[in-house]
Amino acid sequence: MSHINLNNLTYNFSQKAQRNLMIVCGVGILLLILGIVFRHAPEVANGEAMSDPQATLGQRLWANLLVNSYFFGGIALGATFFYALQYAAQTSWSTVFMRVFSAISSFLPIGLVLIFLILLCGRMGLHHLYPWQDPSVYDKTSPNFDPLLNHKHPYFSDAFFWGRTIVFMGGYWWYQMWTRKNALAEDMMNEQNAAANWAKNLKNAAIFLVFFGFSSSVFSWDVMMSVDTHWYSTLFGWYNFAGWWLGAIIVSNLLVMHLKSRDQFEFVNPSHVHDLGKWMFAISFLWTYLWFAQFMLIWYSNIPEEVVYYQQRWEQYRGLFWVTMIVNFAFPMLVLMSRDAKRNKSFLLFVALLILFFHWTDTFLMVMPGSVSSNWGLGGIEIGMFLSFASIFTFWILRTLSKAPILARNHPMLEEGLHHHA
């Protein structure tokens, strides 16, 4: 490891970068306020009472909050999964990126808290994103009584729902905090203790992956699929998982390119970058396969209760629906196929940003039809909230990255990872 400049392992999150991110966040908040003002003005001017909960401004704001909390929190959860996978699989090539994955996963507690608050506020009646949270749908004497939801009542009962939600979120949070703390402590250990610590990380990573494998699908059903309460898909959990994973790989690519542009990742060679590009290419196909498998099965079976999910998106969101699918599928296939494309930093940056944005629109399409129906738009509210979240997400990751060396120096497989060639 003698060729590495140990004095260049501290990331300096400059005042200029912090100021720029705050400006982006401020612009986002300003757009959000303008979006609220101009969206609300016609209702006030006409003196109309919005009788449809899905047509209210509040519903649209809550829906956008869910989109962004789930999207950015999901990227952090995907990074936590991939971090654990590297330990469990005993890989060496990715040891140079472990602090990057760890920094991305540090946003997970924020994302989980926001999602939990959205669920809790729905239970308190502050929004109508989740129809199953309305007690009247289970009351047979109420005009809102819903036989199908009544059938699902045991699954959505308070004790069972909140119990599993707290266990899942607590498990994700605990593992993220524990593994980061343990990995940072490794920097201060001698070789023998570092090897023992790595073995402990490997064991807990394997346990976490089993826990994650079961809970992640149920978590996505509860938070996202239950917005369309009548609809159900067993592939939905895997499809969401692929989106989180892909988001984490894309953000990892972006961070690595940023660090290399500052000459701080000189030990990351073209083969490392190439392999990250291959992950982006491969997970894009995994996401597409799961999206298409879900779509094809529902279209072919033509069961009215299932088809309604895609029918609504086809009728009310057609343009966005197909553009999202085409970009997320065809673009990676056409432009990331070659070896040179995966090693070209500028090209990879453009592709990564494009795919990342259209995975945000994919999350948007999961939430909006079931929560606001045709009362949607891509205006100041949507753009403003996205910019605010993106800047806070980036600020938090870079701040975390600056708090520890960007290379896990005592990782037992580091030397092998530094000489990775593909």
Side-chain angles (χ1 to χ4, degrees):
M1 211 170 75
S2 56
H3 60 286
I4 296 177
N5 180 4
L6 295 178
N7 296 320
N8 198 28
L9 293 181
T10 302
Y11 176 73
N12 176 26
F13 188 18
S14 68
Q15 293 291 327
K16 181 182 177 183
Q18 294 182 37
R19 186 173 62 248
N20 289 341
L21 285 170
M22 288 179 184
I23 290 172
V24 174
C25 186
V27 170
I29 292 172
L30 180 62
L31 285 172
L32 177 61
I33 293 171
L34 291 173
I36 292 172
V37 170
F38 287 106
R39 167 66 174 79
H40 194 52
E43 299 169 22
V44 175
N46 296 331
E48 295 176 354
M50 304 301 289
S51 57
D52 180 4
Q54 291 192 331
T56 62
L57 175 64
Q59 182 81 348
R60 186 167 165 181
L61 287 169
W62 280 107
N64 274 282
L65 186 61
L66 177 59
V67 169
N68 289 286
S69 301
Y70 191 79
F71 177 72
F72 289 103
I75 291 174
L77 185 56
T80 307
F81 157 78
F82 197 63
Y83 185 91
L85 185 65
Q86 302 314 298
Y87 271 109
Q90 302 182 42
T91 59
S92 60
W93 74 274
S94 60
T95 51
V96 294
F97 302 128
M98 294 304 272
R99 290 290 157 82
V100 169
F101 302 144
S102 178
I104 299 169
S105 74
S106 70
F107 189 78
L108 183 60
I110 297 175
L112 292 178
V113 166
L114 288 172
I115 292 170
F116 187 84
L117 288 176
I118 292 169
L119 291 167
L120 187 63
C121 288
R123 183 66 184 85
M124 295 166 67
L126 298 180
H127 61 71
H128 304 278
L129 295 182
Y130 301 103
W132 55 269
Q133 289 187 326
D134 181 356
S136 66
V137 300
Y138 307 115
D139 182 359
K140 293 183 179 178
T141 64
S142 169
N144 294 328
F145 176 69
D146 189 319
L148 185 57
L149 286 186
N150 192 50
H151 181 69
K152 295 182 177 181
H153 195 192
Y155 180 78
F156 286 125
S157 63
D158 278 348
F160 189 37
F161 176 80
W162 292 109
R164 64 175 180 270
T165 300
I166 290 170
V167 169
F168 293 165
M169 289 187 173
Y172 301 150
W173 193 333
W174 176 83
Y175 178 73
Q176 190 278 321
M177 298 288 283
W178 178 86
T179 195
R180 178 167 173 79
K181 182 181 177 183
N182 205 43
L184 293 183
E186 198 172 272
D187 282 352
M188 311 302 291
M189 296 177 182
N190 58 33
E191 189 174 330
Q192 186 177 4
N193 288 338
N197 193 62
W198 175 81
K200 192 189 299 181
N201 272 326
L202 190 156
K203 176 186 170 185
N204 282 351
I207 295 172
F208 172 75
L209 289 176
V210 173
F211 172 76
F212 179 84
F214 166 73
S215 63
S216 58
S217 284
V218 182
F219 180 69
S220 65
W221 299 344
D222 289 346
V223 177
M224 198 56 73
M225 192 167 72
S226 69
V227 172
D228 294 87
T229 313
H230 284 185
W231 182 72
Y232 181 80
S233 166
T234 51
L235 279 172
F236 190 82
W238 291 101
Y239 156 61
N240 272 251
F241 160 66
W244 299 336
W245 192 359
L246 179 59
I249 293 294
I250 291 174
V251 175
S252 302
N253 265 294
L254 294 174
L255 267 181
V256 168
M257 283 185 269
H258 172 62
L259 289 168
K260 283 192 76 68
S261 71
R262 295 164 57 105
D263 297 324
Q264 282 202 289
F265 250 19
E266 78 276 10
F267 44 84
V268 171
N269 61 47
S271 293
H272 288 117
V273 176
H274 184 197
D275 276 5
L276 269 183
K278 283 194 286 190
W279 273 107
M280 192 162 77
F281 179 74
I283 306 302
S284 288
F285 272 76
L286 174 65
W287 176 89
T288 304
Y289 167 74
L290 291 168
W291 186 97
F292 185 71
Q294 180 176 263
F295 174 78
M296 176 57 76
L297 281 174
I298 291 173
W299 175 78
Y300 188 73
S301 61
N302 197 25
I303 301 171
E305 292 84 356
E306 302 293 337
V307 171
V308 66
Y309 179 83
Y310 286 106
Q311 186 179 13
Q312 185 180 19
R313 283 153 181 79
W314 174 270
E315 292 175 352
Q316 298 173 348
Y317 297 76
R318 185 177 300 181
L320 188 63
F321 179 74
W322 286 112
V323 169
T324 297
M325 173 55 193
I326 291 168
V327 172
N328 287 338
F329 167 56
F331 207 71
M333 182 181 71
L334 293 174
V335 303
L336 280 181
M337 185 73 79
S338 71
R339 176 186 172 92
D340 290 341
K342 298 186 193 75
R343 293 177 176 236
N344 186 317
K345 286 184 287 184
S346 301
F347 190 70
L348 212 53
L349 175 66
F350 170 69
V351 174
L353 288 174
L354 192 69
I355 298 175
L356 189 66
F357 175 73
F358 279 97
H359 271 279
W360 178 86
T361 63
D362 180 52
T363 309
F364 184 83
L365 283 167
M366 288 185 206
V367 175
M368 289 297 170
S371 57
V372 302
S373 189
S374 60
N375 307 291
W376 70 285
L378 280 173
I381 293 175
E382 287 72 23
I383 297 170
M385 200 172 289
F386 172 76
L387 286 178
S388 302
F389 264 83
S391 55
I392 293 170
F393 177 74
T394 308
F395 188 98
W396 190 268
I397 289 174
L398 295 181
R399 178 173 168 272
T400 304
L401 202 62
S402 69
K403 288 187 171 180
I406 56 176
L407 185 67
R409 289 175 293 185
N410 288 336
H411 194 294
M413 304 180 79
L414 178 60
E415 197 63 35
E416 185 181 346
L418 289 171
H419 297 94
H420 172 67
H421 291 287

